[in-house]
Amino acid sequence: MAGQTDRSKPWFLAPCDLQVIKAAGVTFAASLIERVIEEQARGDAAQAVAVRERVTEVIGDDLRSVKPGSPQAAQLKALLIEHKLWSQYLEVGIGPDAEVFTKAPVLSSVGPGAEIGIHPESVWNNPEPEIVLAVNSRGETVGATLGNDVNLRDFEGRSALLLGKAKDNNASCAIGPFIRLFDASFSIADVRRATVNLLVQGKDDFTLRGSSSMEQISRDPLDLAAQAMGAHHQYPDGFMLFLGTMFAPTEDRDHPGGGFTHKVGDVVTISSPMLGSLVNVVNHCDKIDPWKFGLRALMTNIAARRLPPYRLQDSH
């Protein structure tokens, strides 16, 4: 792709519109460990190997048996504090409260076939293949789709307060190809046992494959949705919720110890048998068409076409 959408031809939009884009982080043991490593390495990929060895020596490489908020989790917390390895990521990974943040503004997500963006200053980043729940205004989970929660490991690793810069950039959120609504043939039970596959193909002939099994998630998807919305917080138009990923690539791309990072032109395919494939091409955020179609543009478009008044309750 050239970096500018050919407006003379049709293209796919993300399958959501007025829904807020939320995301749950650190919901898998594997990604939890990698987040601790990012923090300990201060966002420096070159330091990650040594830090990874130290962290896994103390906490191991499998935290799936630790139930968040349990007495066992509290004991592990005490041990990690003793070894000076406690982290804010461990707090949300094994503590009672999940990390739920706003990934992207309303209407800013891109769909299948679009370019997806990484910040031009980032040198350590990766795709995050995830299942995304569609939740209505009453907090009911009504369907699911696929998403790419692009992550800048160097920015977030330097400081968790840079989460917004690491997560919310032009075209940094892809959702699609469609929302599959729950019915007799597809339910939340299918989401709980789904496998999400990842394929990255670079112009440098580099290929990365991975998968994320929802059976290994540390918090139930419906629990995450309930933590996002309730008496404490409402979403009149519903929301989309990324459920997190267990896949944090560590495979060296350019040199030993360098780890993985994206390059411009990478083709990223996220797929699941029940939800199809979401395919996007990586480019720098400042080289992709800027996001211009927001709520004002939507209302202007509706008015220009003289459509009937849009009533929020009709969308539920």
Side-chain angles (χ1 to χ4, degrees), residues 205-223:
D205 294 326
F206 177 86
T207 299
L208 176 72
R209 298 179 186 273
S211 64
S212 184
S213 172
M214 287 296 295
E215 291 182 338
Q216 297 187 44
I217 197 168
S218 59
R219 300 180 191 268
D220 187 76
L222 294 184
D223 173 55

Side-chain angles (χ1 to χ4, degrees), residues 31-292:
S31 61
L32 164 60
I33 293 171
E34 286 302 312
R35 288 291 178 270
V36 176
I37 291 166
E38 286 172 18
E39 183 181 49
Q40 294 284 324
R42 298 294 187 268
D44 183 357
Q47 303 297 321
V49 174
V51 173
R52 187 174 291 109
E53 292 176 354
R54 178 169 177 254
V55 169
T56 55
E57 181 180 347
V58 176
I59 66 176
D61 58 3
D62 188 356
L63 295 176
R64 284 176 296 173
S65 62
V66 180
K67 183 179 179 180
S70 67
Q72 182 188 11
Q75 292 174 358
L76 178 58
K77 177 177 181 177
L79 173 65
L80 293 169
I81 290 174
E82 180 182 342
H83 284 79
K84 295 182 171 54
L85 281 175
W86 184 249
S87 162
Q88 56 204 333
Y89 295 106
L90 286 161
E91 180 64 46
V92 296
I94 63 177
D97 300 314
E99 178 191 20
V100 181
F101 59 93
T102 299
K103 165 63 181 179
V106 170
L107 291 174
S108 68
S109 302
V110 299
E115 289 188 306
I116 192 164
I118 54 173
H119 196 289
E121 295 178 11
S122 175
V123 296
W124 189 22
N125 49 69
N126 62 264
E128 292 197 352
E130 305 184 23
I131 285 183
V132 184
L133 297 182
V135 185
N136 68 16
S137 62
R138 296 183 294 275
E140 300 163 342
T141 300
V142 297
T145 184
L146 297 172
N148 188 348
D149 175 16
V150 177
N151 183 53
L152 309 182
R153 302 189 70 178
D154 43 5
F155 285 14
E156 188 178 358
R158 289 190 349 242
S159 170
L161 298 181
L162 291 174
L163 180 66
K165 190 169 185 177
K167 292 288 190 178
D168 183 10
N169 297 290
N170 183 36
S172 65
C173 176
I175 296 177
F178 52 80
I179 295 174
R180 182 170 180 180
L181 298 176
F182 291 152
D183 56 20
S185 63
F186 180 66
S187 69
I188 191 66
D190 294 296
V191 170
R192 290 185 177 115
R193 56 175 173 261
T195 297
V196 180
N197 300 306
L198 171 71
L199 173 64
V200 178
Q201 297 168 293
K203 290 183 176 181
D204 55 354
D205 294 326
F206 177 86
T207 299
L208 176 72
R209 298 179 186 273
S211 64
S212 184
S213 172
M214 287 296 295
E215 291 182 338
Q216 297 187 44
I217 197 168
S218 59
R219 300 180 191 268
D220 187 76
L222 294 184
D223 173 55
L224 292 170
Q227 292 210 35
M229 179 178 177
H232 63 286
H233 204 328
Q234 297 78 43
Y235 294 94
D237 303 304
F239 62 97
M240 306 297 291
L241 178 63
F242 281 76
L243 293 178
T245 182
M246 64 174 286
F247 186 69
T250 59
E251 183 177 340
D252 294 333
R253 182 166 192 173
D254 291 320
H255 54 82
F260 170 84
T261 195
H262 269 310
K263 292 186 178 182
V264 169
D266 282 352
V267 177
V268 182
T269 302
I270 296 171
S271 62
S272 183
M274 297 177 293
L275 296 171
S277 296
L278 174 64
V279 183
N280 300 98
V281 180
V282 173
N283 201 349
H284 287 143
C285 293
D286 57 344
K287 302 299 182 184
I288 299 174
D289 280 342
W291 174 45
K292 295 181 178 179

